[in-house]
Amino acid sequence: MTIQGTGTARPAGRPRSEKAERAIIEATLDLIAEGMGVSELSIEAIASRAGVGKTTIYRRWSSKEDLVVDALATLKAPLPPLAGVSVRDDLITLLDAMRAESGNRRGRCVMNIAMSEADRHPRLTERFVQRAVEPRRRALREVLERGVASGELRPDLDVTLAMAILSGTMMWQSKWGPADGLPEDLAERVVDVALAGMAPPAG
């Protein structure tokens, strides 16, 4: 709100530098990817790697945990738009996004290290799940529930179990699949195998 009679209003606070924020995020991810655990990670080390002062970091993030959550969230691409034409197509779209994310080697390394420290940093893990994982779970659930309602899927489908089957298979493939990358048709194959058991009874 502009206060009348005071001339040109001054902007509130100092504008944040997107370049500095990007450098801070990249430095955080690089240090974790290089093997530095969340517990050992320090604002000093991040500032040094990013080439900024500690005050620059604290102006944007109030704690190391806040910064780590934001950094990890950047490894998750925005949810892809869903056409809503068929359950099969939307499931393939969601699972293919998981396949694409697994192609980021740094992302896999960082996520493995970060998740292995879940017991030591439960609040950090909880916040990351809420920000980056839960929207994907919700989208998957909505597609499956829509399929039950439309008759594309069996009426007695255990939606929670179906979610675990679909996402769990992709996660297993991401961790234990071919070292040279997952096949481009993996999402389609996984969905078709899963739908064979989720389809309504014939006749």
Side-chain angles (χ1 to χ4, degrees), residues 28-99:
T28 303
L29 294 174
D30 284 342
L31 289 169
I32 297 176
E34 290 167 9
M36 184 176 288
V38 176
S39 297
E40 292 73 35
L41 189 67
S42 68
I43 294 296
E44 290 78 4
I46 296 169
S48 177
R49 175 65 67 92
V52 302
K54 290 191 296 182
T55 54
T56 300
I57 296 178
Y58 282 120
R59 276 199 299 268
R60 176 65 181 87
W61 294 278
S62 61
S63 69
K64 177 180 69 175
E65 287 72 21
D66 289 338
L67 171 53
V68 170
V69 169
D70 280 356
L72 294 179
T74 66
L75 299 174
K76 292 287 188 181
L79 275 171
L82 303 178
V85 176
S86 74
V87 168
R88 178 180 182 273
D89 288 349
D90 285 351
L91 289 177
I92 290 173
T93 297
L94 289 173
L95 265 61
D96 196 54
M98 295 179 66
R99 180 196 63 81

Side-chain angles (χ1 to χ4, degrees), residues 140-160:
L140 185 57
R141 177 177 290 278
E142 288 173 356
V143 170
L144 292 170
E145 289 177 343
R146 191 186 81 222
V148 173
S150 68
E152 293 174 78
L153 303 177
R154 57 191 308 148
D156 60 346
L157 179 68
D158 185 329
V159 172
T160 300

